Amino acid sequence: MNKIRTLILLSILMFLFACNKKDELSLESIKTQTGWGYVIKNNDRIIIKQSIIPVIPSQKSFENEQEALKVGSLVLQKLKDKTSPTITKKDLILLSIKI
């Protein structure tokens, strides 16, 4: 009976530990051949690598690191809010991104 009780307690503790594992989202800038981009990672695993400005018709990198990080921060916040990480032209305008 004592072994069963210990096994149940151990199983509950393992379950609680597994459920408490948090997603660790992080943002990093990356240097591209033509400018800047960003990478979003979940526990050191790349989930988004954006080397060009999204939504615009040309394939152009961000002009500077700050622009890349502004857009990356918005995407990161959307992910944390569990909403679509899609960026719109309006988002770029509101962030003062040169397109």
Side-chain angles (χ1 to χ4, degrees):
M1 185 72 165
N2 201 15
K3 281 186 175 184
I4 293 174
R5 193 179 287 170
T6 303
L7 184 59
I8 291 172
L9 181 61
L10 185 60
S11 297
I12 291 171
L13 288 173
M14 288 175 58
F15 176 76
L16 290 174
F17 179 75
C19 289
N20 283 335
K21 184 179 178 188
K22 291 186 175 184
D23 290 340
E24 295 292 329
L25 294 173
S26 62
L27 170 66
E28 297 174 14
S29 61
I30 55 171
K31 184 73 173 119
T32 68
Q33 290 181 351
T34 58
W36 290 88
Y38 63 87
V39 171
I40 296 178
K41 296 180 180 181
N42 183 5
N43 297 323
D44 294 326
R45 182 174 171 232
I46 294 174
I47 58 172
I48 296 175
K49 182 176 182 180
Q50 190 69 48
S51 58
I52 58 171
I53 302 172
V55 182
I56 65 171
S58 60
Q59 293 207 353
K60 176 182 166 188
S61 292
F62 295 95
E63 285 189 16
N64 54 56
E65 184 178 22
Q66 292 76 20
E67 286 188 352
L69 290 175
K70 276 198 252 183
V71 175
S73 292
L74 178 59
V75 172
L76 182 64
Q77 189 57 54
K78 287 182 175 195
L79 289 170
K80 287 180 179 180
D81 293 342
K82 300 194 184 316
T83 60
S84 172
T86 303
I87 296 296
T88 65
K89 281 189 179 182
K90 182 179 179 182
D91 291 328
L92 296 177
I93 292 167
L94 290 173
L95 292 172
S96 302
I97 304 300
K98 297 173 195 150
I99 51 177

